[in-house]
Amino acid sequence: IRSDSSQVVNESIPQIYTKATEMRQIYRKIDKLEAFVKMIGNSVAGLEERVIKAETDLGAFPSTFKKILHTISIPSFLNKSSSSRQQQTLYEPPVLFKTEDYFPCLNEAPY
């Protein structure tokens, strides 16, 4: 029992501590990745809203695509229809993120 206890204290606990430290780094990376995915989701949702608004304003969305999209679960903001066409405004390109800003290793040449 003493031998096992000393082995646990001298070998196993330092190994567990080292692994726990490594896991904290992995948890931080996971948290950053979750924040990145959330940011991308918000960006895509914003772009979808702009596309839908543009299609509604211009009336350029074919009915066959509407039928296809209605078979897919669509968020509630897509189901709203405008009662009157709004005055057309100038196109302003959206601010897009650059993947390279978040993953600098992508700037390197491939193998």
Side-chain angles (χ1 to χ4, degrees):
I1 292 174
R2 287 183 184 166
S3 161
D4 289 345
S5 296
S6 70
Q7 181 182 6
V8 166
V9 170
N10 295 329
E11 295 177 17
S12 298
I13 290 179
Q15 290 174 349
I16 292 171
Y17 180 78
T18 302
K19 290 295 179 184
T21 304
E22 291 174 11
M23 291 304 295
R24 278 190 225 110
Q25 293 172 354
I26 290 172
Y27 294 152
R28 275 189 233 112
K29 288 180 181 180
I30 290 170
D31 290 341
K32 288 180 182 180
L33 184 60
E34 286 177 340
F36 178 71
V37 168
K38 184 176 180 180
M39 187 264 310
I40 298 300
N42 291 336
S43 178
V44 169
L47 289 174
E48 284 179 330
E49 287 180 27
R50 289 182 71 166
V51 167
I52 290 167
K53 183 183 180 313
E55 290 168 343
T56 302
D57 291 347
L58 299 174
F61 201 51
S63 62
T64 55
F65 288 107
K66 284 184 184 179
K67 290 176 186 175
I68 292 172
L69 286 179
H70 284 294
T71 61
I72 303 171
S73 64
I74 300 175
S76 62
F77 68 86
L78 297 178
N79 294 331
K80 296 178 183 175
S81 60
S82 60
S83 58
S84 63
R85 288 191 178 204
Q86 297 175 352
Q87 185 180 14
Q88 290 184 358
T89 59
L90 293 174
Y91 173 73
E92 294 179 27
V95 178
L96 300 176
F97 69 93
K98 293 184 178 182
T99 307
E100 293 83 13
D101 294 342
Y102 297 92
F103 298 99
C105 61
L106 295 178
N107 289 331
E108 299 173 359
Y111 295 99

